[in-house]
C-alpha cells in the first residue's frame, strides 16, 4: 500500500520576525491543506528550510505536524542528513512521534560511492521502522541514486518509494523498469508531474501545492481518472507559474508567493535572502495570470 497517492505538499516552515518557528501559522497551513485536498504533508524537506533549522526546531516541527494532523492526512518527515547516525537518530525520533513515512535525501557533501549509499540507506532502514522514500536530487546534494542502486534498495522491505528530482526521464524510466513495481515513484519536479505519472508514478511532492493545493491535487486526480488530456492541459497551463517559482533557489520564490497571497509565513533563514525585486514583480504577475488573488 502506498504512503499516499496524489499531491503531497513540501510545506514551508513559517517564521516569526525573530527567526523562530511560527507554530500558530504552521497550524493554519496544516488546516489549509487538509481543507483544500492536499493528499499528504511533507514536513522539514528542502522547501521547509530543514538545512537551517536547529535539530530541536526540526524535530519539534515534525512532532507538532503529526499532532495537529491527527491522522487526517499522512505526514512524511524529512530526516535525511549527511551523517548516517544522525539520520538514524532523527528518523527514530520521528517514528516515535507517529509519522507515516520518512523522506531521506542522499547524504550531501560527503560524495559517497553507490556502495556507500546502499550501506547508508540499508543501515537507516534497519534502525528506523517506518516506510522510507528515497530522495534523489543530485543538483543539491551532488549525489545521484542510479537505477541499479534504486533496484538494490527496493529489496529492503521498508524502502517503498523514491522521490525523483533528477529531471532525467531516461533514468527515471530505467528505475521503474529495474524495480518492477517494488518502488512507488513521486515526482520531485512540478514541471514533470504528468511525465512521471505516465511512467507509473503515484503523485508529486510539490512546491506548487503550497499556493495551489487543489489545482495540484486535481491535476493528479484527472490523470488517475483517465482524463489524460485534462491532466496534461493543467500541467502545461501551470508551467509559466512553475517557472517563476524556481527562478531563484527554492524556497525563496514560494515563500515570497505565499506572502503575496497574505499567508504571512515570514522571511527566510540566512543564508537564503529575500527575492530580487524584478523577480518578485514577475512572480506576482504570473500568479495573477494563473488566477491567484494577491493580498
Amino acid at each position: 500500500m502506498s504512503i499516499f497517492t496524489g499531491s503531497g505538499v513540501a510545506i514551508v516552515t513559517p517564521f516569526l520576525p525573530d527567526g523562530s518557528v511560527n507554530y500558530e501559522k504552521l497550524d493554519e497551513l496544516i488546516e489549509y491543506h487538509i481543507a483544500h485536498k492536499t493528499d499528504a504533508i511533507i514536513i522539514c524537506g528542502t522547501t521547509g528550510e530543514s538545512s537551517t533549522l536547529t535539530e530541536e526546531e526540526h524535530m519539534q516541527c515534525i512532532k507538532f505536524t503529526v499532532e495537529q494532523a491527527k491522522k487526517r492526512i499522512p505526514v512524511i518527515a524529512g530526516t535525511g542528513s549527511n551523517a548516517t547516525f544522525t539520520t538514524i537518530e532523527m528518523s527514530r525520533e520521528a517514528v516515535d512521534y507517529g509519522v507515516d513515512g520518512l523522506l531521506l535525501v542522499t547524504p550531501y557533501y560527503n560524495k559517497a560511492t553507490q556502495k556507500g549509499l546502499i550501506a547508508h540507506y540499508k543501515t537507516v532502514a534497519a534502525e528506523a521502522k517506518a516506510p522510507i522514500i528515497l530522495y534523489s536530487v543530485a543538483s543539491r546534494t551532488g549525489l545521484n541514486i542510479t537505477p541499479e542502486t534504486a533496484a538494490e534498495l527496493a529489496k529492503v522491505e521498508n524502502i517503498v518509494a523514491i522521490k525523483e528530482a533528477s529531471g532525467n526521464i531516461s533514468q527515471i524510466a530505467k528505475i521503474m523498469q529495474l524495480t518492477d513495481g517494488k518502488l512507488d515513484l513521486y515526482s520531485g519536479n512540478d514541471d514533470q508531474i504528468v511525465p512521471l505519472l505516465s511512467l507509473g508514478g503515484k503523485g508529486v511532492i510539490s512546491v506548487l501545492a503550497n499556493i495551489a493545493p487543489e489545482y495540484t491535487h486535481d491535476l493528479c486526480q484527472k490523470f488517475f481518472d483517465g482524463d489524460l488530456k485534462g491532466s496534461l492541459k493543467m500541467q502545461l497551463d501551470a508551467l509559466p507559474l512553475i517557472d517563476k517559482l524556481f527562478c531563484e533557489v527554492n524556497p525563496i520564490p514560494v515563500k515570497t508567493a505565499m506572502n503575496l497571497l497574505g499567508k504571512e509565513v515570514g522571511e527566510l533563514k540566512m543564508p537564503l535572502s529575500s527575492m530580487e525585486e524584478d523577480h518578485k514583480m514577475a512572480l506576482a504577475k504570473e500568479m495573477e495570470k494563473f488566477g491567484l488573488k494577491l493580498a
Side-chain angles (χ1 to χ4, degrees):
M1 183 177 176
S2 302
I3 302 173
F4 77 95
T5 301
S7 172
V9 64
I11 198 168
V12 303
T13 302
F15 295 123
L16 293 166
D18 66 0
S20 61
V21 177
N22 185 342
Y23 289 103
E24 182 178 345
K25 181 61 64 174
L26 180 56
D27 185 29
E28 284 182 27
L29 295 178
I30 293 165
E31 294 301 325
Y32 171 73
H33 282 289
I34 291 171
H36 289 83
K37 303 198 316 191
T38 291
D39 298 293
I41 292 175
I42 293 79
I43 185 72
C44 294
T46 304
T47 311
E49 297 177 77
S50 57
S51 60
T52 48
L53 294 174
T54 67
E55 190 168 323
E56 182 180 359
E57 287 173 329
H58 192 133
M59 300 315 300
Q60 183 58 34
C61 281
I62 293 169
K63 184 173 187 285
F64 182 87
T65 302
V66 171
E67 290 173 347
Q68 300 310 114
K70 299 180 177 69
K71 293 296 179 182
R72 292 173 292 168
I73 185 172
V75 174
I76 298 156
T79 52
S81 164
N82 67 328
T84 300
F85 292 102
T86 300
T87 303
I88 289 170
E89 289 173 2
M90 294 176 71
S91 298
R92 280 175 170 170
E93 190 171 341
V95 171
D96 287 344
Y97 294 150
V99 297
D100 298 282
L102 302 169
L103 179 67
L104 301 184
V105 71
T106 52
Y108 39 88
Y109 192 77
N110 300 322
K111 299 190 78 171
T113 62
Q114 293 297 302
K115 176 183 175 182
L117 191 57
I118 289 167
H120 168 80
Y121 277 118
K122 285 186 173 181
T123 302
V124 176
E127 296 291 336
K129 301 300 183 182
I132 288 170
I133 303 175
L134 309 172
Y135 181 13
S136 183
V137 56
S139 63
R140 283 187 180 269
T141 68
L143 184 57
N144 181 45
I145 298 176
T146 68
E148 293 77 15
T149 293
E152 178 64 25
L153 292 172
K155 298 174 185 176
V156 180
E157 184 178 6
N158 59 323
I159 295 179
V160 300
I162 185 166
K163 175 186 176 184
E164 242 292 351
S166 69
N168 185 336
I169 295 294
S170 297
Q171 170 175 289
I172 298 165
K174 189 170 183 182
I175 287 172
M176 297 304 282
Q177 182 251 320
L178 291 179
T179 58
D180 192 26
K182 295 183 180 69
L183 279 185
D184 284 346
L185 171 66
Y186 296 104
S187 177
N189 295 322
D190 283 309
D191 61 353
Q192 293 184 339
I193 302 171
V194 169
L196 266 65
L197 293 180
S198 75
L199 288 171
K202 295 292 184 179
V204 60
I205 295 177
S206 172
V207 174
L208 175 65
N210 280 284
I211 60 171
E214 291 191 36
Y215 189 97
T216 313
H217 165 89
D218 290 347
L219 188 161
C220 294
Q221 194 59 51
K222 279 183 181 292
F223 187 95
F224 299 139
D225 291 342
D227 183 3
L228 305 188
K229 286 186 177 179
S231 180
L232 177 58
K233 184 178 187 307
M234 292 184 77
Q235 174 77 87
L236 297 179
D237 286 350
L239 287 182
L241 176 58
I242 293 166
D243 182 61
K244 293 296 181 288
L245 285 174
F246 291 91
C247 69
E248 292 187 24
V249 69
N250 179 50
I252 293 172
V254 72
K255 269 196 136 174
T256 303
M258 293 180 76
N259 288 330
L260 287 169
L261 293 171
K263 297 291 186 187
E264 298 178 359
V265 296
E267 299 302 318
L268 298 120
K269 282 203 175 188
M270 291 177 68
L272 297 183
S273 57
S274 59
M275 198 171 186
E276 297 292 342
E277 196 60 34
D278 58 335
H279 290 166
K280 182 177 178 180
M281 290 173 62
L283 172 63
K285 183 178 179 181
E286 204 56 60
M287 289 169 67
E288 289 184 316
K289 284 173 64 178
F290 190 74
L292 296 173
K293 188 176 180 180
L294 306 189

